[in-house]
């Protein structure tokens, strides 16, 4: 008995759920964070409805607006990635298709985050 | 492949259809639809950063009949996903499992999303001075 590991530490992570609990909890945390961010987004876009390019740019240039938009983008892309992943895991059963869909989701969500955050920053710091 | 023969847990066909079921299915459908909405939002932000000429083109498309229809459906998807998402958070906390409140809140998410979608669009038209 040179083994100092507890029985629990030996089996942790070996079940079919793997790191599922952490994923499940972080998906809920993203959902909670999305509540105020979605409200901000909807109220802002209704309030600015019909505005032209210069006015939208001026709106995004406000530091608080830029930061809230970036937080919203970071949060919804993370929520979207884990949500779509869950759908794929439930309905796509063939190994190859599951991996193809998983890669598409991961790359797609990262691309959406990068493009939209870069755009917000370019507007915020642009001349 | 041997793996394909593993039993799966019972799916939709074994349950009786009800509001609770509809809200669960629609939560996934609206969630997936919102991923499409996220692509549109990205396109819009890229257009805004690209300059007024390209932005005006995107705005013209958004304002077209098809554009407005898509945005209207995305607004509904967002409000429905928002309402049923909050309902799910309560269920994750162990609440709303009795039949009565479960069904009532399931039905309420649809009332909420339809009303909020109309309120949001009325408010937006009001802001634009077209109502």
């Amino acid at each position: 008995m040179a083994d100092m590991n507890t029985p629990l530490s030996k089996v942790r992570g070996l079940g079919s759920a793997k790191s599922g609990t952490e994923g499940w909890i972080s998906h809920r945390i993203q959902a909670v964070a999305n509540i105020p961010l979605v409200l901000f987004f909807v109220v802002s876009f209704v309030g600015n409805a019909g505005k032209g390019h210069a006015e939208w740019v001026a709106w995004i240039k406000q530091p608080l607006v830029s930061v809230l938009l970036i937080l919203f983008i970071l949060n919804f892309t993370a929520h979207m990635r884990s949500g779509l992943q869950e759908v794929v895991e439930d309905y796509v059963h063939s190994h190859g298709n599951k991996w193809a869909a998983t890669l598409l989701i991961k790359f797609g969500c990262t691309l959406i985050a990068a493009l939209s955050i870069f755009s917000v920053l370019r507007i915020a710091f642009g001349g | 492949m041997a793996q394909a023969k593993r039993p799966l847990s019972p799916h939709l066909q074994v349950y009786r259809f009800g509001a609770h079921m509809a809200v669960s299915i629609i939560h996934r459908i609206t969630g997936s639809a919102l991923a499409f909405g996220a692509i549109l939002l990205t396109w819009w932000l890229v257009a805004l950063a690209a300059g007024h000429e390209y932005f005006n083109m995107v705005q013209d498309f958004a304002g077209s009949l098809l554009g407005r229809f898509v945005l209207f459906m995305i607004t509904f998807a967002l409000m429905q996903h928002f309402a049923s998402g909050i309902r799910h958070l309560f269920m994750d906390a162990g609440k709303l499992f009795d039949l009565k409140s479960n069904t009532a809140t399931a039905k309420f998410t649809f009332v909420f999303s339809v009303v909020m979608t109309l309120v949001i669009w009325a408010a937006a038209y009001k802001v634009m001075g077209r109502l």
Side-chain angles (χ1 to χ4, degrees), chain A residues 17-35:
Chain A
K18 307 232 165 39
S19 59
T21 312
E22 287 89 335
W24 189 89
I25 290 171
S26 58
H27 192 68
R28 268 66 194 173
I29 294 172
Q30 292 148 10
V32 171
N34 255 337
I35 298 172

Side-chain angles (χ1 to χ4, degrees), chain A residues 24 28 32 35 38 41-42 45-47 49-51 53 56 60 76 80 84 86 90-91 112 115-116 119 123, chain B residues 11 28 35 38-39 41-42 44-46 48-49 51-52 55 59 78-79 82 86 89 92 120 123-124 127-128:
Chain A
W24 189 89
R28 268 66 194 173
V32 171
I35 298 172
V38 163
F41 176 76
V42 169
F45 274 69
V46 166
K51 288 197 173 161
H53 182 260
W56 276 109
I60 288 187
F76 84 64
M80 187 169 124
L84 290 174
E86 204 179 306
D90 282 356
Y91 303 130
I112 284 175
L115 279 174
S116 43
S119 301
I123 295 162
Chain B
H11 200 40
R28 290 204 154 176
I39 295 173
L41 177 64
T42 305
W44 185 86
L45 281 168
V46 167
L48 192 60
H52 76 274
F55 179 74
Q59 284 289 77
L78 183 63
M79 287 300 108
F82 184 86
I86 290 172
L89 287 174
D92 295 335
I120 286 168
V127 167
M128 288 191 287

Side-chain angles (χ1 to χ4, degrees), chain A residues 20-97:
Chain A
T21 312
E22 287 89 335
W24 189 89
I25 290 171
S26 58
H27 192 68
R28 268 66 194 173
I29 294 172
Q30 292 148 10
V32 171
N34 255 337
I35 298 172
L37 291 169
V38 163
L39 290 176
F40 154 77
F41 176 76
V42 169
V43 168
S44 305
F45 274 69
V46 166
N48 287 316
K51 288 197 173 161
H53 182 260
E55 291 161 301
W56 276 109
V57 166
W59 176 71
I60 288 187
K61 272 180 174 292
Q62 295 167 271
L64 185 64
V65 173
S66 319
V67 170
L68 283 172
L69 275 177
I70 290 169
L71 286 177
F72 181 48
I73 294 160
L74 285 172
N75 196 57
F76 84 64
T77 48
H79 187 73
M80 187 169 124
R81 187 173 53 219
S82 43
L84 290 174
Q85 182 65 38
E86 204 179 306
V87 172
V88 165
E89 279 162 6
D90 282 356
Y91 303 130
V92 183
H93 299 306
S94 107
H95 193 70
N97 287 347

Side-chain angles (χ1 to χ4, degrees), chain B residues 3 7 12 22 28 31 39-40 50 53 61 67 73 75 77 84-85 88 90 92 95-96 98 104 109 115-117 128:
Chain B
Q3 253 194 339
L12 296 179
R28 290 204 154 176
I39 295 173
L40 294 183
E53 219 165 291
F61 173 69
M73 295 311 282
T75 312
S84 62
H88 272 292
F90 276 99
D92 295 335
K95 314 246 186 278
L96 304 180
D98 61 295
T109 63
V115 170
M116 282 310 291
T117 304
M128 288 191 287

